[in-house]
Amino acid sequence: DIQMTQSLPSLSASMGDNVIITCRASRNIANYLNWYLQRPGKAPKLLIYGASSLEAGVPSRFRGSGSGTDFALTISSLEPGDFGTYFCQQSYSVPYIFGQGTKLEV
Amino acid sequence: EVKLVESGGAVVKPGGSLRLACEASEFMFDDYTMHWVRQPPGKGLEWVALISWDGSTVHSIDSVRGRFTISRDNSKNSLYLQMNDLKSEDTALYYCAKGRARQSYGSIDSWGQGTMVGVFS
């Protein structure tokens, strides 16, 4: 199985900050990497698919990058709704394992 | 707007069985791969299983293989998860989720609100 590692369990930031959340795959997954945001008590929401493609309706402040094994999600000018837990997920091969999550806190 | 409504969650004893259901609407159900994803209380997401749009292909994680069966009934726009020989580690909120792209695998673009399964002695 391909393991996904989000090395930062949590990250503190303020409104207006720019932040980068990283994710590493245990082997090459090309660009089969997705990013989700889960707000407390809510279902996850897809932000980025294919490592860098923005899901419809997601603000352009969110940018995904990377390929192979190392990936990043950059969020510019943090807004209140951006706080929650971010998960990466590989969809290169089953099982489609998620990273452990990075909790973005005020 | 895509709608996914899960049902069937309950509290059961170890070794028990449950059948989760997910009723889908507002999209062409028989065109999309469907998934079950679970989340233990206070923990992260765990992908559990998928079934292709036509039901011909299924995959699941090792820890549930042989105990859980994913299935679908396209005539009823419904997804199912039959869960047998439940263990305490199966305790979680179970989400029904829809694949993003037609007739392919990959990312998930829509989720239900989840149904809770508790396995306690």
Side-chain angles (χ1 to χ4, degrees), chain A residues 16-58:
Chain A
D17 284 354
N18 300 331
V19 298
I20 299 175
I21 297 171
T22 60
C23 175
R24 174 168 285 176
S26 61
R27 58 184 174 93
N28 189 343
I29 59 170
N31 66 339
Y32 289 87
L33 192 282
N34 313 301
W35 288 100
Y36 303 87
L37 165 60
Q38 186 176 34
R39 298 185 181 96
K42 300 293 187 185
K45 173 187 173 182
L46 177 65
L47 302 173
I48 301 285
Y49 62 92
S52 60
S53 296
L54 197 64
E55 172 69 350
V58 175

Side-chain angles (χ1 to χ4, degrees), chain A residues 66-105:
Chain A
S67 66
T69 60
D70 291 297
F71 301 88
L73 175 69
T74 301
I75 314 168
S76 305
S77 302
L78 280 174
E79 296 186 1
D82 298 340
F83 293 91
T85 302
Y86 289 82
F87 294 95
C88 62
Q89 181 207 28
Q90 67 85 12
S91 51
Y92 180 83
S93 65
V94 290
Y96 290 164
I97 289 176
F98 290 88
Q100 306 95 316
T102 296
K103 187 175 183 180
L104 181 59
E105 303 173 296

